[in-house]
Amino acid sequence: MASFPVINMTKLEGEERGAAMDLLHDACENWGFFEVLNHGISHELMDEVEKLTKEHYQKRREMSFKEFANKAIEEGSNGKDTSNIDWESTFFLRHLPVSNISDLPDLDDHYREIMRKFSKEIEKLAEHLLDLLCENLGLEKGYLKRAFWGSKGPTFGTKVSNYPPCPRPDLIKGLRAHTDAGGIILLFQDNQVSGLQLLKDDQWIDVPPMRHAIVINIGDQLEVITNGKYKSVVHRVVAQTDGNRMSIASFYNPGADAVIFPAPALVQKESEETNGVYPKFVFEDYMNLYVRQKFEAKEPRFEAMKAMETVTGQPIATT
């Protein structure tokens, strides 16, 4: 099997641009995941984010997680079903359309400021990558960003997670297998402790930890907009017996009222077999279904959206 795709973004600026764009296209089309290096986010900022995130977990979240963990292990050891439990400690930062960073009570001021800076850099990288995808797909520059826009711009937020050592990974998964509901996902992960895996050709493949890299993956909405050219991929986190894995996943998603549908240019280019597979829907409606079916296959969600469109009998307006 080919090696996990890693794209050095400096090559997009010189003579090797063509080859780098081909690698990006192949990664989106055949993997749904890739890592980027030299992405424009300073190593100093990334190091500070990592340091503060790990300190925050130790100071503010470790004790409560241990209480949860002890109870979960005890119940699992006594025969209780633990298949719906994830071995993770998480909190969420919302950036767009309105930030909640100032509202979270247990973040110190320096951590807030650093996460604001980091989120701005991740947002810029997300929009740059979307334009690169447009170029590879033959879409007008800015098409994907506009498709996500809605009436108030995109939805953008960050899930900050720690996956502490698990004494019984046979009982409890780190994070159950799923696809991501949204648009494009940018992950800053621990470079020492592994655990993230994607499903490719019916095999679980490790996403290799790499210092100062950002892991990118395709969400369900990009699959719809690209008419299946780029597909979201099932992935999971495997709990580890050693090491505390840090995961900072930022989700650049459509706005709540954005209308999602296959790009007409891609519908025309694809074969008749793929046309009509993907529905037209409002992103918020999809998310309302996703929160109940996150750990189930995506195809029934697409079918449910198609059925909703058929039942209402009303065309969904686009702007």
Side-chain angles (χ1 to χ4, degrees), residues 26-188:
D26 180 75
C28 292
E29 192 170 46
N30 296 311
W31 287 81
F33 265 81
F34 55 96
E35 293 190 66
V36 293
L37 297 171
N38 298 313
H39 37 63
I41 303 175
S42 78
H43 292 176
E44 292 78 12
L45 177 58
M46 296 179 77
D47 290 343
E48 187 71 359
V49 168
E50 180 175 0
K51 172 178 171 287
L52 294 174
T53 297
K54 291 181 175 180
E55 287 178 355
H56 178 264
Y57 172 77
Q58 292 171 348
K59 292 178 182 177
R60 305 286 189 175
R61 307 189 66 85
E62 187 172 28
M63 189 63 68
S64 61
F65 181 82
K66 284 182 176 179
E67 293 174 1
F68 151 79
N70 290 336
K71 181 179 179 182
I73 291 295
E74 180 181 356
E75 291 178 346
S77 299
N78 291 331
K80 184 174 180 179
D81 181 19
T82 56
S83 61
N84 63 343
I85 295 177
D86 298 309
W87 190 266
E88 63 173 356
S89 171
T90 67
F91 66 94
F92 295 87
L93 301 174
R94 186 177 65 249
H95 312 302
L96 295 173
V98 179
S99 173
N100 73 342
I101 292 183
S102 297
D103 302 331
L104 298 179
D106 66 347
L107 304 183
D108 65 43
D109 290 342
H110 182 52
Y111 190 26
R112 288 182 213 275
E113 185 58 31
I114 289 297
M115 290 305 288
R116 284 192 184 99
K117 289 181 179 178
F118 182 68
S119 70
K120 290 293 184 184
E121 294 299 312
I122 287 287
E123 181 185 353
K124 287 192 293 185
L125 178 58
E127 293 179 351
H128 179 46
L129 287 167
L130 288 176
D131 277 342
L132 292 175
L133 267 56
C134 284
E135 184 177 341
N136 268 337
L137 290 163
L139 298 173
E140 180 185 355
K141 183 178 181 179
Y143 181 92
L144 291 173
K145 182 179 177 180
R146 291 193 299 274
F148 284 17
W149 200 251
S151 63
K152 298 179 181 178
T155 304
F156 177 46
T158 299
K159 176 186 176 185
V160 181
S161 305
N162 280 271
Y163 297 90
C166 179
R168 292 291 305 276
D170 57 311
L171 283 179
I172 303 177
K173 304 292 187 293
L175 178 62
R176 288 163 283 169
H178 63 286
T179 63
D180 288 326
I184 189 168
I185 299 85
L186 302 92
L187 169 67
F188 175 26

Side-chain angles (χ1 to χ4, degrees), residues 220-240:
D220 294 349
Q221 306 311 301
L222 274 182
E223 177 170 338
V224 173
I225 296 170
T226 66
N227 200 35
K229 187 73 171 175
Y230 297 163
K231 289 183 169 64
S232 60
V233 172
V234 174
H235 54 284
R236 68 183 183 183
V237 176
V238 178
Q240 305 293 307

Side-chain angles (χ1 to χ4, degrees), residues 145-280:
K145 182 179 177 180
R146 291 193 299 274
F148 284 17
W149 200 251
S151 63
K152 298 179 181 178
T155 304
F156 177 46
T158 299
K159 176 186 176 185
V160 181
S161 305
N162 280 271
Y163 297 90
C166 179
R168 292 291 305 276
D170 57 311
L171 283 179
I172 303 177
K173 304 292 187 293
L175 178 62
R176 288 163 283 169
H178 63 286
T179 63
D180 288 326
I184 189 168
I185 299 85
L186 302 92
L187 169 67
F188 175 26
Q189 69 167 347
D190 201 292
N191 70 300
Q192 297 293 325
V193 183
S194 62
L196 178 61
Q197 296 181 332
L198 65 94
L199 189 63
K200 178 173 172 56
D201 301 328
D202 297 320
Q203 295 183 20
W204 288 107
I205 307 296
D206 291 328
V207 177
M210 189 175 298
R211 187 159 177 77
H212 296 136
I214 298 291
V215 179
I216 312 298
N217 70 283
I218 303 296
D220 294 349
Q221 306 311 301
L222 274 182
E223 177 170 338
V224 173
I225 296 170
T226 66
N227 200 35
K229 187 73 171 175
Y230 297 163
K231 289 183 169 64
S232 60
V233 172
V234 174
H235 54 284
R236 68 183 183 183
V237 176
V238 178
Q240 305 293 307
T241 55
D242 296 308
N244 185 351
R245 177 178 177 268
M246 179 198 74
S247 166
I248 302 175
S250 296
F251 300 81
Y252 190 99
N253 293 344
D257 62 352
V259 178
I260 304 301
F261 56 94
L266 298 180
V267 172
Q268 294 166 8
K269 288 180 179 179
E270 296 298 320
S271 69
E272 290 299 322
E273 292 179 6
T274 60
N275 290 341
V277 170
Y278 294 101
K280 183 178 186 179

